[in-house]
Amino acid sequence: MNAREPTPIAAKPLTLYGVEIASRLLLGTARYPSPQIMGNAVKASRASIVTVSVRREAARANTGQRFFELIKALGVRVMPNTAGCRSAKEAVTTAQMARELFGTDWIKLEVIGNDDTLQPDVYGLVEAAGALTKDGFKVFPYTTEDLVVAERLVAAGCEVLMPWGAPIGTGRGLANRYALKSLRKYFAGMPLIIDAGIGAPSHAAEALEMGFDAVLLNTAVASAADPARMAQAFAMAIEAGRAAYEAGLMEMRDMAAPSTPVAGTPFFDLDRSS
């Protein structure tokens, strides 16, 4: 009699702005050695959403157009982003251009305030988010882990938040775990996606174990010696992290606790003087 194949346990679906998304890995499309390598990485990651910098690719003229066509051929949802924008006005204009180019009202909103850390300008971010939601956009704001900023973004109409793990491209993982955990608990019913700073599959798994709904990354895959294999590693780590979260992780303890029960264990008297 042949052993039965184990039945896969499906994770609960991720829903963003009313759309069910199959994968909890979102992948950026910048910095790859070639378009073909990028395409192979996207396929290996099984990502359902890829992000594209409108400003960068539009600046490439004909080359940029071919890049857009390649992305569309991958059969994934394209989420344009406003990377490189330094003001709310600039970000809004870029988002409007992206909607015309890709025919989507989904936008990853970035308004950068510091050139060294690429930290978001949270004032411009909230301003742009409010303007875009009023214009019918589904906004995915790249923000910090600051709770007050998150509240302002929700008030501006955002139904998804994308707090950074660490500054873009640093690969440092989850730099402020306490604040991220607080954010996750405070916005218990809202999709939260860790964006930026993820450098290893273990970082991504930790984010999902903490209850975050998905991870967006780019550099960790694009800069790998084998981007497709690294993308696959991230996909497996994210799947494992989410499964662990849904299964229920054990609580940490300060003292050891035996995994083998002591009830019924025989004890021998080694005092032979009697």
Side-chain angles (χ1 to χ4, degrees):
M1 182 177 178
N2 294 330
R4 287 186 176 182
E5 291 287 333
T7 303
I9 301 175
K12 296 177 182 177
L14 170 63
T15 301
L16 303 174
Y17 284 104
V19 178
E20 281 196 5
I21 305 299
S23 172
R24 293 176 181 270
L25 171 57
L26 289 70
L27 198 62
T29 56
R31 305 176 65 92
Y32 289 88
S34 73
Q36 181 179 358
I37 291 174
M38 182 272 293
N40 291 339
V42 171
K43 292 175 184 177
S45 73
R46 304 192 301 276
S48 300
I49 300 173
V50 298
T51 63
V52 177
S53 171
V54 180
R55 288 167 58 89
R56 182 181 61 246
E57 300 306 333
R60 296 181 181 180
N62 292 335
T63 304
Q65 185 60 40
R66 289 197 297 272
F67 178 83
F68 293 148
E69 291 171 357
L70 171 63
I71 293 293
K72 291 177 181 178
L74 291 172
V76 295
R77 178 181 283 269
V78 176
M79 182 162 65
N81 68 54
T82 63
C85 293
R86 295 296 196 278
S87 70
K89 182 178 180 180
E90 192 178 15
V92 169
T93 301
T94 302
Q96 291 168 340
M97 181 172 65
R99 181 163 59 184
E100 292 296 322
L101 186 61
F102 287 101
T104 178
D105 55 9
W106 283 29
I107 190 75
K108 181 195 170 190
L109 179 61
E110 296 183 31
V111 182
I112 299 302
N114 183 276
D115 290 335
D116 293 322
T117 64
L118 299 180
Q119 180 169 331
D121 173 355
V122 294
Y123 304 102
L125 185 66
V126 172
E127 179 185 346
L132 289 171
T133 53
K134 288 178 182 177
D135 194 24
F137 281 90
K138 309 297 189 297
V139 179
F140 294 71
Y142 162 62
T143 184
T144 65
E145 68 277 29
D146 187 280
L147 180 59
V148 176
V149 175
E151 289 182 312
R152 297 290 176 86
L153 288 168
V154 172
C158 296
E159 297 181 15
V160 178
L161 298 176
M162 302 182 74
W164 65 353
I168 294 171
T170 61
R172 301 185 68 85
L174 307 180
N176 192 342
R177 289 170 175 79
Y178 172 78
L180 287 170
K181 287 179 180 178
S182 297
L183 195 69
R184 176 66 284 180
K185 289 180 179 179
Y186 194 86
F187 294 99
M190 174 173 284
L192 300 182
I193 301 171
I194 293 293
D195 177 16
I198 298 297
S202 56
H203 299 158
E206 181 183 9
L208 272 291
E209 288 172 1
M210 286 168 59
F212 285 90
D213 297 279
V215 167
L216 170 58
L217 56 95
N218 190 160
T219 307
V221 170
S223 64
D226 186 341
R229 191 171 186 186
M230 184 61 75
Q232 185 180 43
F234 270 104
M236 292 188 291
I238 287 171
E239 188 174 323
R242 182 63 189 186
Y245 172 75
E246 291 182 358
L249 293 162
M250 69 173 286
E251 295 289 335
M252 290 186 180
R253 301 185 179 97
D254 293 327
M255 301 294 290
S259 56
T260 303
V262 296
T265 303
F267 292 90
F268 300 95
D269 183 3
L270 299 180
D271 184 0
R272 300 182 181 181
S273 60
S274 56

